[in-house]
Amino acid sequence: GGKGGKGGPGDPPGLIKPSPTDALKLNVYADNWFILFINGKLRVVDPIEYMPHNVVSVDIMPEYPMTIAVMAMDNADPKTGLEYGNHIGDGGLIIKFSDGTVTNANWKAKSFFRGPVNRDVNRPTVERTPLPAGWHLPGFDDSGWERATEYTSERVRPDGDYVADAFTGARFIWTADIDLDNTVVFRTTVPAPPGWVKRNPWPSARGLSTTNAVRPR
């Protein structure tokens, strides 16, 4: 991130305003769809539902520590868990922030919808677990969740406008069952980098919203 901007004549002493150089570039690719929260606030919604696969790139203003929570969904029939008729689909999520934050096995992952149970495509059934309250919030206890499982791009087989260079250093992740787990929540918390100084909410006074901007590129 950058060094922020100085306050104006009417601002409190020592105020550091966010500047364009503070923004982080965020790239996300999900098989097939996702929503992403940062510190409990919805920041990114995949604008293309399920097909075709697509990379979403936005700028976000970081606020450390940064708790990232993502719900990713495979394109699975809600009643059978199958894709495209009678096929068992797979999933996959890969993320990279320009501050170096990337998806890997250090993230937590938990499935909330799986199927077809026992891989039975002839008599498919599904299992659902209700989403726990506050799953997207910084204070949520995910200590009992398993760590994410890393996968190769050959296993996920990304398509659409996926470009590997946009995700250098990141890994595709999912649960341990990339085929049957269809809705997965991922979480991680990023500490403040050395020397980072908290910015004033953007924009500041004058009664405007303090929501940080998400600008599609």
Side-chain angles (χ1 to χ4, degrees), residues 10 42 52 58 65 73 77 86 97 100 111 113 123-124 128 130 139 149 151 156 173 187 189 192 202-204:
L42 180 60
V58 299
M73 300 180 181
D77 185 285
N86 64 345
F97 288 77
S111 171
F113 165 44
R123 292 174 296 179
R128 291 184 178 276
T149 299
Y151 292 91
V156 175
I173 58 173
R187 288 177 53 90
T189 298
W202 168 261
S204 58

Side-chain angles (χ1 to χ4, degrees), residues 13-27:
L15 175 69
I16 301 178
K17 292 182 176 179
S19 73
T21 57
D22 291 320
L24 297 180
K25 175 73 172 294
L26 165 62
N27 293 327

